Amino acid sequence: MIRKRLFHSLLGLLLAATMLAGCSMGVEPPAENESPPPKAGAEGGTLVVARMSDATNLDPHFISTINAASVVHQKVYEGLVKRDANMVIAPQLALSWRQVNDLVWEFKLRQGVFFHDGTPFDAAAVKKTLDRVMDPKTASPRAAMFDKIKEVKIIDPYTVQFLLEKPFAPLLSILASHEGSIISPKAIDEYGREFSAHPVGTGPFLFRSWEPGRQIVLDKNPHYWGDQPKLDRVVFRVVFRVVADDTKRIALVENGEAHVAESIPVQDIERLSASNRLRVYRSEALGTEFIGFNVAAGPLRDLRVRQAISSAIETGAIIKGVYNNVGTQANSPLGPKVFGYSPSVKSYPYDLNKARELLAKAGYPNGFSIRMLTYDRNDRVMVAQVIRSQLKGIGIDARLEVVSYADFVTQIEKTRTHEIFVSGWGNATGDADYNQYNLFHTQGGGAGNSFQYSNPELDRLLDAGRVETDPAKRLAIYAKAQELELRDALLVPIRNLENLAVISTDIQGFSI
């Protein structure tokens, strides 16, 4: 099951073909057998990335946050397929694939590839990896992503088939995400549940060390089967320095102690853009931010109340006042880059008179008091404060409660004590199923269904979206699903996310 914590976490860095010009800064001095730092304009060196938080797990079968996945996905680990810069599924460890029929997918594997521990990559490694994540004894939180696979069958050393219980259209998108990482069969046997401390994949970077709360170091893989990274094999380390304070993280880049600071405050964009030592990186992300309703809680059980609150929130003011116009107006639970997004769906327009009318019809002409929950992240708190002010206009007293992220997850997933909640989510696969099924389906959602919503009509649509193989028909299915979610006022979409980072001018070829 996809846990909500994955969607609420910070979107992580995906570093693509990074080139470092004249970088000699790092958190550790070079070892005796390492070459000196390169001169300006040369490739190689150590890239230092300042992050908000440390990873919690480096085992792809136990990673539950995008923040952790971004450390190792497409760096230490690779999948059978990947998404290219245009979000198109492309070959990686599999050279090609085909659907033999609706229930059988066949993959032809790349030869001459080795895991970092020297183990050859082949069909047996694919089977052992998938068998591990699907084995109930492993107790992987990612197992539900593969629950449509009945068997992984070896045809020959470099051909493997996935035999499905039923058609499953999102299969390739899942194989392209971090859950689909192929890991060393030797390391599985050697490390077992301790694999997180010893990641072994086939990727362009080798895991070197992890000091929890401080840094993770990756070194260039000199035996990588594909194009060699631009950073030097000997001195390259992606060091994830954990600095929670925004100002301190940015200062590390300004002072030359780091080269990238991710998740910068939107209020600092103009100042940072004016610097001759820094540049601000911006790119469209896959996630959205929203105001959610627990439809099983108090007055929110009444659709008219949810419609009234939706009509009383001016999201444009939030994007301008809180986010400094970073990101775009959201109209859907899905971001525009996600397959299945519908540009035609609409949320309730801002209309205070309509909101008051709806409240009166619901039996609350003078409003009521309700609890609004978010976690201790500055922008989320600011959004909640704006919403609180806006709801006063229709007589609703939204009592703001700010808790730690851990407490926030506990309340919306386990205790279910929340009413209105301010949050957001990403999408790790680029496919609508990733969010839709795991957040809105009665059975599939489980803990992830923080809206406590159950609708047989929506369930049928989301089930159909998983088995339909015609892309045009899938788009139509998810358009109907989004219309239903917004018609029933489960949430108020606020903003389509942007990736933001501040980067040293020494860095070229960086992307998220």
Side-chain angles (χ1 to χ4, degrees), residues 295-375:
V295 303
L300 297 175
R301 293 188 180 95
D302 193 318
L303 172 60
R304 294 168 296 186
V305 170
R306 303 196 303 273
Q307 290 172 329
I309 294 174
S310 300
S311 300
I313 296 174
E314 189 180 5
T315 55
I318 294 173
I319 295 173
K320 180 179 180 180
V322 176
Y323 290 109
N324 198 22
N325 289 319
V326 173
T328 58
Q329 181 84 43
N331 70 308
S332 160
L334 298 173
K337 292 186 71 174
V338 175
F339 178 87
Y341 164 78
S342 173
S344 62
V345 300
K346 300 183 185 302
S347 54
Y348 290 92
Y350 177 64
D351 189 336
L352 284 180
N353 290 330
K354 184 66 174 179
R356 295 188 185 101
E357 178 185 332
L358 286 164
L359 276 186
K361 288 181 178 179
Y364 301 99
N366 299 316
F368 53 84
S369 179
I370 197 167
R371 181 168 166 260
M372 181 164 54
L373 180 71
T374 194
Y375 54 96

Side-chain angles (χ1 to χ4, degrees), residues 360-430:
K361 288 181 178 179
Y364 301 99
N366 299 316
F368 53 84
S369 179
I370 197 167
R371 181 168 166 260
M372 181 164 54
L373 180 71
T374 194
Y375 54 96
D376 51 359
R377 181 173 139 178
N378 289 342
D379 59 339
R380 296 280 159 79
V381 174
M382 291 171 67
V383 169
Q385 290 170 339
V386 172
I387 295 166
R388 184 174 189 275
S389 176
Q390 291 181 345
L391 293 183
K392 284 182 180 179
I394 58 171
I396 293 179
D397 177 22
R399 295 174 284 105
L400 177 58
E401 182 173 347
V402 181
V403 298
S404 70
Y405 178 69
D407 287 343
F408 179 83
V409 171
T410 296
Q411 290 192 42
I412 66 172
E413 287 191 1
K414 297 178 181 178
T415 65
R416 307 292 193 183
T417 55
H418 61 294
E419 292 178 307
I420 298 175
F421 58 107
V422 180
S423 192
W425 54 54
N427 183 299
T429 67

Side-chain angles (χ1 to χ4, degrees), residues 102-113:
D102 283 349
L103 299 180
V104 180
W105 289 71
E106 182 174 278
F107 295 84
K108 293 291 185 180
L109 306 182
R110 192 179 297 276
Q111 299 185 35
V113 176

Side-chain angles (χ1 to χ4, degrees), residues 137-382:
K137 294 180 181 178
T138 303
S140 166
R142 320 315 303 155
M145 302 291 287
F146 303 93
D147 62 2
K148 299 298 179 290
I149 299 175
K150 180 170 60 177
E151 180 187 355
V152 178
K153 183 179 180 181
I154 297 175
I155 304 302
D156 62 47
Y158 292 98
T159 306
V160 65
Q161 288 185 347
F162 289 7
L163 312 183
L164 307 183
E165 296 279 359
K166 60 176 64 174
F168 187 54
L171 178 64
L172 289 178
S173 71
I174 291 171
L175 294 178
S177 74
H178 76 271
E179 289 94 344
S181 298
I182 306 300
I183 58 183
S184 165
K186 177 183 176 183
I188 291 174
D189 291 336
E190 184 173 353
Y191 300 116
R193 292 300 292 268
E194 301 302 316
F195 184 80
S196 177
H198 309 276
V200 183
T202 60
F205 298 113
L206 303 161
F207 172 79
R208 175 175 175 179
S209 64
W210 182 11
E211 298 176 60
R214 185 165 180 259
Q215 66 182 26
I216 295 171
V217 180
L218 309 177
D219 284 339
K220 178 178 177 179
N221 176 10
H223 305 296
Y224 183 54
W225 61 268
D227 294 335
Q228 281 289 311
K230 298 296 185 180
L231 292 160
D232 187 81
R233 176 183 66 84
V234 177
V235 297
F236 170 72
R237 308 180 193 101
V238 178
V239 183
F240 292 87
R241 175 176 292 182
V242 181
V243 185
D245 182 83
D246 292 330
T247 303
K248 290 180 180 178
R249 285 202 318 280
I250 294 170
L252 290 175
V253 182
E254 290 177 315
N255 297 335
E257 297 179 60
H259 312 104
V260 179
E262 58 176 320
S263 187
I264 63 174
V266 294
Q267 296 84 358
D268 290 346
I269 288 178
E270 286 81 5
R271 177 182 70 84
L272 296 171
S273 297
S275 171
N276 59 5
R277 297 191 59 186
L278 310 172
R279 61 187 176 93
V280 175
Y281 174 90
R282 299 173 66 166
S283 67
E284 187 178 6
L286 296 180
T288 59
E289 291 178 308
F290 64 93
I291 301 146
F293 303 124
N294 181 350
V295 303
L300 297 175
R301 293 188 180 95
D302 193 318
L303 172 60
R304 294 168 296 186
V305 170
R306 303 196 303 273
Q307 290 172 329
I309 294 174
S310 300
S311 300
I313 296 174
E314 189 180 5
T315 55
I318 294 173
I319 295 173
K320 180 179 180 180
V322 176
Y323 290 109
N324 198 22
N325 289 319
V326 173
T328 58
Q329 181 84 43
N331 70 308
S332 160
L334 298 173
K337 292 186 71 174
V338 175
F339 178 87
Y341 164 78
S342 173
S344 62
V345 300
K346 300 183 185 302
S347 54
Y348 290 92
Y350 177 64
D351 189 336
L352 284 180
N353 290 330
K354 184 66 174 179
R356 295 188 185 101
E357 178 185 332
L358 286 164
L359 276 186
K361 288 181 178 179
Y364 301 99
N366 299 316
F368 53 84
S369 179
I370 197 167
R371 181 168 166 260
M372 181 164 54
L373 180 71
T374 194
Y375 54 96
D376 51 359
R377 181 173 139 178
N378 289 342
D379 59 339
R380 296 280 159 79
V381 174
M382 291 171 67

Side-chain angles (χ1 to χ4, degrees), residues 332-345 427 430-433 436 471-483:
S332 160
L334 298 173
K337 292 186 71 174
V338 175
F339 178 87
Y341 164 78
S342 173
S344 62
V345 300
N427 183 299
D431 190 279
D433 176 73
Q436 291 283 296
K473 291 179 179 179
R474 287 193 79 213
L475 287 173
I477 288 169
Y478 286 117
K480 291 179 181 178
Q482 292 161 76
E483 289 170 2

